[in-house]
Amino acid sequence: MQQSVMKAWWDSSHMAGGNAAYVEELYEAYLDDPNSVEDTWRDIFDKLPKLDGVALEANHSQIRDEFRKMAALGPAARVPAAAASGSGAVSDDKQVKVLQLINAYRFRGHQHANLDPLGLWKQARVRDLELSHHTLSERDFDTVYNVGSYAIGQDSMSLGELYKSLNRTYCGSIGAEYMHITDTEQKRWLQQRIESVQAKPEISRDEKVSILKGLIAADGMEKYLGAKFPGAKRFSLEGGDSLIPMLKGLITHAGTHGTKEVVIGMAHRGRLNVLVNVLGKNPSVLFDEFSGKHDESLGAGDVKYHAGYSSDFATPGGNVHLALAFNPSHLEIVNPVVMGSVRARLDRRGCEDGSTVLPITIHGDSAIAGQGVVQETFNMSQARGFKVGGTVRIVINNQVGFTTSKIEDTRSTQYCTDIAKMVQAPIFHVNADDPEAVLFVTKLAMDYRNKFKRDVVIDLVCYRRHGHNEADEPNATQPLMYQKIKKHPVPRQIYADQLTAEGSIDDHEVEKLISDYRAALDHGACVVDEWRPMTEHSVDWSPYLGHDWTAPYDGALSVDKLKELARAMCRVPDGYPLQSRVKKLYADREVMAAGDKNLDWGMAENLAYASLVDTGVNIRMTGQDSGRGTFFHRHAVLHNQKTGEAYMPLQHIKDDQGKMEIYDSVLSEEAVMAFEFGYATAEPRTLTIWEAQFGDFANGAQVVIDQFLSSGEAKWGRLCGLTLLLPHGYEGQGPEHSSARLERFLQLCADHNWQVCVPSTPAQVFHMLRRQAIRPMRRPLIVMSPKSLLRHPLATSTLEELSEGVFHNVIDEIDDIDAAKVKRVVMCSGKVYYDLLDQRRKDERDDVAIIRIEQLYPFPHDEMAAIVQSKYKHVKDWVWCQEEPQNQGAWYCSQHHFWASIPEGGKLTYAGRAAAASPAVGYISVHNQQQKALVDDALTL
Ligand code: AMP
């Protein structure tokens, strides 16, 4: 439609020819995105009547009239004012073309930038960057043109000067991609910063020497390790040496501008180098690790290139605390962990805009393009519950992933960083052999992040001097690249030659810097001048160290206090319009609060939170639909039916209460769970909870469960009190929504690494959550949480049961059954208990007792023994009953605990579904048959 309007106007106007096509093109671009055209053109187009698509003819004629008016006013109204002076005559047409040329460089200059140190990248011809494409030529070089918004500091330039300047700015060692950003302020800001210095600011001699020292350190460290431990895996940084002066420059710049803490996440490549040359890890400790020595206190330990580290770093703005996050081999998964850790630190500082804590994540080129968690992380970057004021993301782009380097094998886009465009992050590709350019984009990136609080990406284009590790032979797979690398001088050499050639330093000084660095390594001394011992100890972990799951939990609260809290958590502002079902639910809660009705699950769970924030504990819960609850049961977040605004009664328990946060999360499991792991490992004083929409979805975060939650403490000595709420239960909803895959969690149990609980009553969930927050032990809590049980008439509790103050790891028979008459004891966990109880009551049986095991791991042997010895010593017939198929659930993984619990001479049998490939059947009738059969099986002697 718009096109036809333009065409109609051109056909009827006297403005025709080259201009017509171009302005038409511009107008089209403007209609797509007003920010994509020059300010001058935007102003013109803005003044045109808007099309509304209904009164088409009227709009046609209006638009034509407007253009006619512009044409009548002459060229000045149609095109940006041409420069009056200059040796050549300025035509409107050429002036337009010049502006078009500037735009082309801003959009596509990066495609002709000199980014690859090896010169292997094949650059496609970009016609937009050619003068001829714009019907310009060198013959126009002397003509002076208006340069529009080109931020060079002058309004006009000769085309020759401009052409040189554009090439220097956009096609040198930096390829800046930012024209995909729709926000004009950001775009203008970036243009100003880049164009005003033609992407190459003057830098001081001191800064140059400091860059050189960084390169000497990067190179020296690898050479030293290579000589001392030949063939040992170190995942050398060589080729990407600029990373060291880059990181140091980044931290210094950040510290100078108010950053107090930096959290870094990175994979193995270059990690040892960063540990020693940036974080100031003592090289002698690293050498000991190479020699096989290790710190016995660190449990199972991990390889040295996964190790984290903490230190302080002196900057002109004060010391900055540095934390390098521990990392598994799974690439990119550390990114959301870092963000979670940063969010916790920001919360601790009460800093909402992210200005005091900086996340830096370092990526590989293949991984950033290949791993899905990158997309999830970018998607979280501006979401309310997860934003951290932007992350500086650096890609060590060594152009090869292990042995795979061909672009057509590794990705589907020209750049590995294209994923960042999904959040409109600016992307700076930079040739790592030009460390001054690297430093320029690093500061620019940092300033952008601080100003706009958004992610920014630096693509450090480099190479990898050796194979994937030092024992690899890269020539087997990348022969041409490695022939080139062999002849390519190291970055230190290139930069030292540059500085000596320009007279900034002499050979002698260079030699001295090299030998000083080597001598420091020989002495095993810290090689980072800025290193400072840690003083910014923002949280003291010592109260949480050395506790096991048997650590006492004193959760007693009087009934009166519970009533007071319950009333507070039901309070909504006067006249707050609630949705009718929610209103009824809250009215019901008020009855429960008065003690006139037993408490249901949602009430008890919310009361646990109210009781914790009341004592100053902070709570953070995220998950898909957590505010309301997947099953319409939580309603911790209310929605005003008139305004849509949210209100959280739990945030209004009392004035000086703990912080209560519940966020409906982005629809991700992997990144969100990883984020919450990062949060919980950085903040032991917050009860951190991640909830799955349905428990089985947690396997979308299997990497987090395997690599961090189950094993993080064993590998790295890092405590984590994260709670996972995973709805689980066989209710005929088919294979996907029945099982939270309990067996997976049980299979990973060892060393008391976490707790796996299946609470069956509201009082139990109340105490379980309070215990997790109050007890000083900080270990993950995996909860098989209920679905239909949320409304089960038998699954209720009294205020007295909440007041009593303990989580029962085992619950003995509750009916009045004479233990002496019991011939069989059925053990079970979770919802099936109520099916068994119901059936046994219907059958009026008194020879079967039912025991609930509410904590499957660590298995409560003592409590079980106490019950068995006092009541069921005589029973020989023991059954484990479960809803899950035999190969799933607790049967295989916990069977040894069940056997250990029963009296000597007793036999243990299984009642449950037959082994199955699928977690549950899809047909409700088959489900019901199976459920009846397993209950009958458990109860029939
Ligand atoms: P960070 O702020 O992460 O650099 O941590 C500072 C120090 O606190 C570390 O060196 C550890 O001694 C301790 N620490 C941090 N996180 C944990 C954790 N999750 N578990 C135990 N100790 C921790």
Side-chain angles (χ1 to χ4, degrees), residues 261 310 321-323 345 534 537 539 541 545 681 717-719:
E261 292 183 71
S310 303
H321 178 70
L322 305 182
R345 292 164 202 261
M534 260 196 288
H537 231 133
V539 61
W541 280 86
L545 299 174
T681 43
R718 282 295 188 266
L719 303 174

Side-chain angles (χ1 to χ4, degrees), residues 282-350:
N282 199 309
S284 61
V285 176
L286 182 67
F287 300 154
D288 281 353
E289 289 167 2
F290 268 98
S291 312
K293 295 187 194 145
H294 66 278
D295 180 352
E296 298 290 341
S297 69
L298 277 182
D302 200 348
V303 291
K304 47 194 170 298
Y305 38 84
H306 290 166
Y309 200 73
S310 303
S311 62
D312 283 6
F313 189 100
T315 78
N319 285 2
V320 174
H321 178 70
L322 305 182
L324 175 65
F326 288 86
N327 202 81
S329 288
H330 289 58
L331 298 171
E332 302 294 333
I333 189 63
V334 82
N335 305 323
V337 175
V338 165
M339 284 174 68
S341 175
V342 168
R343 177 80 179 221
R345 292 164 202 261
L346 288 168
D347 285 352
R348 194 151 63 219
R349 292 175 172 276

Side-chain angles (χ1 to χ4, degrees), residues 538-611:
S538 39
V539 61
D540 179 11
W541 280 86
S542 60
Y544 308 96
L545 299 174
H547 299 287
D548 203 3
W549 70 285
T550 47
Y553 146 65
D554 178 13
L557 282 173
S558 72
V559 169
D560 282 348
K561 180 71 191 174
L562 285 169
K563 283 183 177 172
E564 177 198 317
L565 290 167
R567 278 193 302 273
M569 60 164 257
C570 291
R571 227 167 18 225
V572 291
D574 282 346
Y576 188 91
L578 286 169
Q579 191 270 337
S580 59
R581 281 177 67 193
V582 179
K583 192 171 177 178
K584 181 175 173 328
L585 192 133
Y586 263 62
D588 237 29
R589 283 187 182 172
E590 279 177 28
V591 179
M592 295 176 202
D596 295 336
K597 185 178 180 186
N598 279 1
L599 282 71
D600 64 14
W601 202 280
M603 175 74 176
E605 187 198 331
N606 277 298
L607 202 44
Y609 302 141
S611 70

Side-chain angles (χ1 to χ4, degrees), residues 412-566:
S412 298
T413 52
Q414 181 183 354
Y415 296 117
C416 61
T417 48
D418 281 15
I419 183 75
K421 289 184 183 164
M422 68 173 274
V423 291
Q424 300 196 359
I427 301 161
F428 304 115
H429 309 280
V430 59
N431 186 324
D433 268 1
D434 184 346
E436 292 182 10
V438 172
L439 198 65
F440 169 65
V441 292
T442 302
K443 289 182 182 175
L444 176 61
M446 181 65 221
D447 292 343
Y448 171 86
R449 183 263 179 192
N450 271 0
K451 181 156 177 65
F452 297 105
K453 315 290 179 209
R454 300 184 68 89
D455 284 12
V456 52
V457 176
I458 304 171
D459 178 17
L460 184 67
V461 185
C462 56
Y463 57 92
R464 190 186 71 188
R465 186 157 288 278
H466 307 286
H468 176 66
N469 61 57
E470 289 59 39
D472 254 7
E473 176 45 87
N475 281 299
T477 47
Q478 273 74 31
L480 302 185
M481 179 187 262
Y482 277 83
Q483 282 158 27
K484 196 102 198 218
I485 290 173
K486 207 170 164 192
K487 293 186 209 129
H488 193 76
V490 300
R492 179 219 0 113
Q493 183 69 53
I494 296 172
Y495 193 55
D497 288 351
Q498 180 188 320
L499 294 194
T500 44
E502 70 186 33
S504 298
I505 198 166
D506 62 35
D507 287 344
H508 177 70
E509 285 171 289
V510 175
E511 278 315 311
K512 180 154 176 5
L513 289 175
I514 295 172
S515 60
D516 284 353
Y517 182 80
R518 202 177 300 130
L521 288 185
D522 279 337
H523 291 117
C526 171
V527 293
V528 179
D529 296 339
E530 299 87 346
W531 177 87
R532 298 288 178 276
M534 260 196 288
T535 49
E536 283 266 341
H537 231 133
S538 39
V539 61
D540 179 11
W541 280 86
S542 60
Y544 308 96
L545 299 174
H547 299 287
D548 203 3
W549 70 285
T550 47
Y553 146 65
D554 178 13
L557 282 173
S558 72
V559 169
D560 282 348
K561 180 71 191 174
L562 285 169
K563 283 183 177 172
E564 177 198 317
L565 290 167

